[in-house]
Structures are given as structure tokens and as C-alpha cells.
Amino acid sequence: MRKIVFLDVDGTLINYEAKLPESAARVVDEARANGHKVYICTGCSKAEIEQRNLCDLDGMIGGNGAYVEDDGHVVMHHGLTKEEVKHIVDWCNDRHLGFYLEANSGMYCNDYMLEQGIPTMIKYSQGKGADLEKAEASAKGFINGFIHLTGEDLYRDDVNKISFILSTYQDHLDSKVEFPELEANTWGGKGELALFGDLGPTGITKKVAIEVLLDYLGADQKDTISFGDAKIDLSMFELCAYNVAMGNGGPEIKAAADYITTDVDDDGLYNAFKYLGLI
């Protein structure tokens, strides 16, 4: 029976230093050669994914569901309006919060992101197990991928979602009050520690995007398998027929999983693909 596999990216397909384990690339290639379809399902937008050295895939779901692509064809793209972007940009700047706009054309950041981004991303990488040297290199690479904009140039109409640095968790709670019409999430460090908040279009989740893709493919939900490592992946688990948590995942995603594999750097995908008979 051919399966449709959905892979989260950071901490699932690649490690927290944005490196693709050789065994993960190999099993994705083998599974696709066996007739299975493999998609990434990530919070990242296409511009960020294009900066990663990933294996060949059948398509992607990006922006936590805002963008759906199959074999190069755009199935759905639902981003923030220019008015919503302006509201978020002004709100973050008033609070002196670093942020970046996640668009398919690029990742665009404000002044504060240049100041706050590297120390925050070092915390992110160290919290996921990297030593200081690797964390610093990863953080600099991440920030170097941004396009710096100022003033009204940040009021864009092509944005999937916006991630912003949390000075405290209260920033996330306040964002939910300020933007009740939008989807508000957090992401970040070890386990479920929140380092960033993000805001995206209402009603857009990984679950909704998978439903859209399955309908486009004429595929059945019973043939779906998802892989994740964090709370944001729980919406995939709500829909897919079988769900795998990474060994490096947080407690909530593990509790919801049908199977827990090993860590991303300990052949997690290889072991799960083999267990599931995909290779």
C-alpha cells in the first residue's frame, strides 16, 4: 500500500544545526523509489527551505499551512494581508521586538532582529544540544539569510507569517489579545521552551493544509503518516492515520504518537521508515 508521508523539518528531517543526516536523505529517496510520496510540512516558508540542503521531495507545506505545493505546482497560498502585516510590524517595533517576515520571496527582518537574533538563535541551538561553537555558527548563518528592511518597506503584501522574538512569554500572551483574528503560536528551545512567537492567517494549520493537499491528490486519509517533534505538529497528528514522534521531541508530541523513534541525529527517520515498511 502506497503511503503519503508528511515530515516536519527542524528536529525531524534535519537536525537543529540545519544539517540533513545521511541516513534520512537515503530513506526518503528509497521510500519515494518504492512509490510512496514524501512531503515536508513545516513552519518555514519556501524562501527559508530553499536555503537548506534537503533531499528531493514530492512537494511541501510551508508557513504552518499557508503554502501548499505539489511537484512544483502551487495548490494553495494564503498569506497575511498588507494591513495585518503593518499592524504586526508596528506592534513589534513599538515593543522593540526583533522579527522577520516569512515570504516565499525571502525572509525580511527589522533592526531589532539584527541585534537580538544571534543571541536568541544561540539559545535555540544550545537548547537543542549544540555546543557553543556550533550554535554560534548556526545562528550567524540563520541571520545572514535575512534581508534587512526598514520603515514602510516592511509593510509587504506577500507574507505567509511573522516570527518575533519573545522578551518574555507575556509577549506571546499579549499577541493573542492584540491579534485575536490570527493564529498565534510559539517555538524555540529545548522541549517546548518558547523563544519566538509567530502570527499567521486564521484557520491555517498543518492539518488544514494536509486536507487541501489530499483533496487535490484524490488521496485517502487512511494512507497518511506524519512525523514531528513539537506541539505545532499536533495538528498533523489530529488528521494523519499514523503518527511518529522523534526521540528528541517534547513530551506532548510523544504522548500523542503511535510510535516514538530515535533522535534525529540517531537515525530517527531511518529507524521509523524501516519499522513502518516504507523501505
Side-chain angles (χ1 to χ4, degrees), residues 167-261:
S167 60
T168 70
Y169 193 75
Q170 189 61 45
D171 290 323
H172 166 61
L173 298 178
D174 290 347
S175 77
K176 295 176 73 172
V177 175
E178 183 74 15
F179 306 99
E181 75 282 8
L182 300 180
E183 296 285 343
N185 297 296
T186 64
W187 60 275
K190 187 175 183 179
E192 297 297 348
L193 175 66
L195 295 175
F196 285 85
D198 68 42
L199 292 161
T202 185
I204 296 298
T205 64
K206 292 185 176 185
K207 176 184 177 181
V208 169
I210 292 174
E211 290 175 332
V212 168
L213 180 59
L214 292 179
D215 182 64
Y216 170 78
L217 295 173
D220 198 314
Q221 177 267 348
K222 67 180 177 59
D223 296 322
T224 56
I225 303 171
S226 73
F227 288 71
D229 74 312
K231 282 193 296 186
I232 194 67
D233 301 315
L234 288 173
S235 68
M236 285 198 297
F237 280 27
E238 291 175 14
L239 177 68
C240 291
Y242 196 90
N243 303 292
V244 179
M246 304 302 291
N248 46 275
E252 288 171 286
I253 199 74
K254 288 181 176 177
D258 298 297
Y259 177 73
I260 301 173
T261 188

Side-chain angles (χ1 to χ4, degrees), residues 156-168:
R156 299 182 62 89
D157 61 2
D158 62 346
V159 177
N160 296 327
K161 69 184 182 74
I162 299 176
S163 287
F164 59 94
I165 293 173
L166 300 174
S167 60
T168 70

